[in-house]
Amino acid sequence: MIVMKTRFGKAAVALCLLAAALLLPFSQSAGAAGADAGDKIYVISVENAVEQGLSSYMGRAFQMIAEDPQARMVIVEIDTPGGLVTAAQSIRKTIEGCSLEVVALVKGGAISAGTYIAMSCDKIAMLPGTTIGDVEPRVGNEAADEKFLSYWRAEMSSLAEAHGRDKEIAKAMVDRDMELDGIKKEGQLLTLTALEAVEVGYCDLFVTNRDELKAIYGLEQAVYASVELSAPEKLARFITNPSIAPFILMVGIAGVIIEVLTAGFGIAGIIGGSCLTLYFAGHLIAGYAGWGAVLLFLAGIVLMVVEGIMPGFGVPGVTGMLCFTASIVLLAPSFQTGVQSVLIAVVGSVVLIALAVKLLGRSKYWDRLSLGLSLGKEGGYISQREDTGIYVGQKGRTATPLRPAGIVILEGGKRLDVVSEGGFIEKDQAVTITGADGPRIVAARDP
């Protein structure tokens, strides 16, 4: 670990390290000097969030590079705010398995998982104005618990040790409670500028552009090459983005639920089905899980529809929700991420359905969701809340036969729906109201 006590000392050491960094590759890359014009330097871009789609793409790209006899070097250009730990660890294995020199070129911010990827490379080069660090693991907007923090601190320390870097610096990027004299105060996360990274040995090459890096390695005659993202890989990168995936799942669930509540197949079903299709397709392409997760999800949807048709809450509903939840967790990079995605999607779906009720309540489309018939007095409907006990003892005549139900007209002209106390009573027979229980009025034939 390098500790600077004065600004002058820092500047002097930085200049020495900078000069050494520019000269070092010449001695280490003598085999690359005098490269042929047909030699290639492959450039792989790590931008936006680090997710499983990026990991799958880099696995394919490095495989193609390994099969190219003209490949001489790989430059991984990094400008990312971070992303999934599991994806970054998969990318590390890909990079460390490459037999060529792999140089990380930080052209923006190598933050969090971006730092982990940069440290996995053989050398780290940085452009002016760039940064590296802040590798604190987070779950949503909160810092991870101590258990995972301890694991990730050890993981970063091991990575630094494997590539000849200061382990304490690596741990300080993870743990805000660590203090490094002259470098980091307690309560802060360590993020380094390019020159600060040179000082502490986390930047091997300080360059102004990619061509300068190319010249340092004596590969002026080599041409740049790249492995383009395929259309499915672009889709996978978009869908598996930690900020996008829960939103797509949320819209998909809400659309399906709204469509189940309506008759026919409409816009809600198309949008919901499309979002769910995109969600599962993106995760399958990224290699998160196989078709088992898809089958579990479909089984869950079918079972929940069955529960919606059947009265009560029983086995189909519980089983369906378990299948649905299990399918999302299987697709997620970790159990914790899967549960978080399910919770975000369910809560968001409830909000979307509530908004649909409010916005569509007065539209013709909402008529498919609600009963528009009003049972009011204007339609001839009469409330049964009246006290029917007042009719007990009154006399009348049957207006229809009682079999056993029928109509009786009281002496005052009131028409009542009644049931006979005994058996069949013919029409136009004298009767007396003998009992009343709510809307049920009982009549008996007069002797």
Side-chain angles (χ1 to χ4, degrees):
M1 178 172 59
I2 301 174
V3 181
M4 304 299 158
K5 299 298 183 182
T6 65
R7 291 185 178 180
F8 177 78
K10 285 186 176 183
V13 172
L15 290 174
C16 292
L17 288 172
L18 190 56
L22 293 175
L23 295 174
L24 180 63
F26 285 110
S27 60
Q28 293 184 335
S29 306
D36 297 331
D39 288 343
K40 298 177 183 177
I41 299 175
Y42 276 88
V43 179
I44 296 179
S45 179
V46 176
E47 295 181 328
N48 303 317
V50 175
E51 24 62 34
Q52 189 62 31
L54 174 64
S55 174
S56 298
Y57 156 71
M58 291 189 70
R60 181 178 69 86
F62 271 84
Q63 180 62 37
M64 291 183 62
I65 293 170
E67 296 171 355
D68 187 349
Q70 294 180 309
R72 293 291 177 268
M73 177 182 173
V74 181
I75 297 176
V76 180
E77 293 189 337
I78 301 175
D79 183 10
T80 175
L84 299 175
V85 167
T86 51
Q89 290 175 314
S90 178
I91 292 171
R92 173 190 175 180
K93 293 179 181 178
T94 298
I95 292 174
E96 291 182 339
C98 181
S99 60
L100 299 175
E101 179 85 353
V102 182
V103 179
L105 177 59
V106 182
K107 63 175 187 177
I111 305 302
S112 190
T115 298
Y116 186 86
I117 293 172
M119 290 173 59
S120 302
C121 298
D122 299 307
K123 298 294 179 184
I124 299 177
M126 298 180 70
L127 302 180
T130 58
T131 55
I132 187 171
D134 185 0
V135 198
E136 182 182 51
R138 305 189 69 82
V139 179
N141 294 324
E142 302 293 331
D145 57 30
E146 178 58 34
K147 181 178 180 180
F148 189 83
L149 180 65
S150 175
Y151 159 76
W152 192 237
R153 187 167 51 231
E155 175 74 8
M156 284 290 292
S157 176
S158 173
L159 177 61
E161 185 178 34
H163 290 266
R165 305 190 189 280
D166 192 315
K167 296 190 296 182
E168 297 304 308
I169 295 291
K171 290 190 285 187
M173 291 179 177
V174 176
D175 191 350
R176 64 175 64 242
D177 293 331
M178 281 189 64
E179 181 176 359
L180 293 179
D181 186 25
I183 298 177
K184 172 188 172 298
K185 296 181 180 179
E186 183 179 352
Q188 300 176 345
L189 285 171
L190 180 59
T191 303
L192 303 169
T193 65
L195 285 179
E196 289 172 340
V198 169
E199 295 173 11
V200 298
Y202 270 67
C203 174
D204 303 294
L205 304 165
F206 183 78
V207 297
T208 56
N209 53 53
R210 187 199 298 167
D211 289 336
E212 186 176 335
L213 179 62
K214 176 182 176 181
I216 289 174
Y217 275 87
L219 294 170
E220 293 91 337
Q221 300 300 315
V223 297
Y224 293 118
S226 62
V227 179
E228 298 296 329
L229 280 163
S230 65
E233 286 170 340
K234 290 179 181 178
L235 173 66
R237 286 212 63 187
F238 175 77
I239 297 298
T240 58
N241 187 306
S243 301
I244 301 295
F247 175 76
I248 294 177
L249 183 62
M250 174 186 70
V251 175
I253 294 173
V256 169
I257 291 176
I258 292 173
E259 188 60 34
V260 167
L261 295 175
T262 64
F265 191 81
I267 296 177
I270 294 173
I271 294 176
S274 298
C275 285
L276 291 177
T277 300
L278 286 173
Y279 183 85
F280 280 92
H283 284 75
L284 285 172
I285 293 169
Y288 273 115
W291 286 99
V294 178
L295 294 177
L296 267 178
F297 181 83
L298 294 176
I301 293 294
V302 170
L303 288 169
M304 285 190 283
V305 169
V306 170
E307 180 63 32
I309 297 173
M310 298 170 59
F313 189 84
V315 175
V318 174
T319 307
M321 286 191 292
L322 289 176
C323 289
F324 168 78
T325 304
S327 67
I328 302 302
V329 172
L330 283 175
L331 284 177
S334 66
F335 177 81
Q336 192 173 29
T337 304
V339 173
Q340 182 181 5
S341 296
V342 171
L343 291 176
I344 293 174
V346 171
V347 172
S349 298
V350 172
V351 174
L352 286 179
I353 293 170
L355 288 174
V357 172
K358 183 176 181 180
L359 297 176
L360 300 177
R362 295 184 180 180
S363 73
K364 62 181 180 179
Y365 298 106
W366 190 246
D367 292 338
R368 297 167 61 191
L369 285 174
S370 59
L371 179 64
L373 180 62
S374 176
L375 305 180
K377 292 183 178 180
E378 298 80 1
Y381 297 93
I382 301 173
S383 172
Q384 291 294 329
R385 291 184 178 179
E386 62 177 323
D387 182 11
T388 55
I390 62 175
Y391 300 120
V392 176
Q394 295 190 32
K395 296 184 178 295
R397 302 189 74 85
T398 56
T400 66
L402 304 186
R403 298 191 178 94
I407 297 175
V408 167
I409 300 178
L410 300 180
E411 292 177 346
K414 178 72 173 180
R415 292 171 63 91
L416 295 177
D417 291 322
V418 301
V419 294
S420 66
E421 187 179 75
F424 174 77
I425 302 178
E426 298 87 352
K427 181 181 178 180
D428 199 27
Q429 294 293 313
V431 294
T432 300
I433 305 301
T434 59
D437 183 10
R440 185 175 184 271
I441 302 174
V442 182
R445 187 198 303 266
D446 287 345

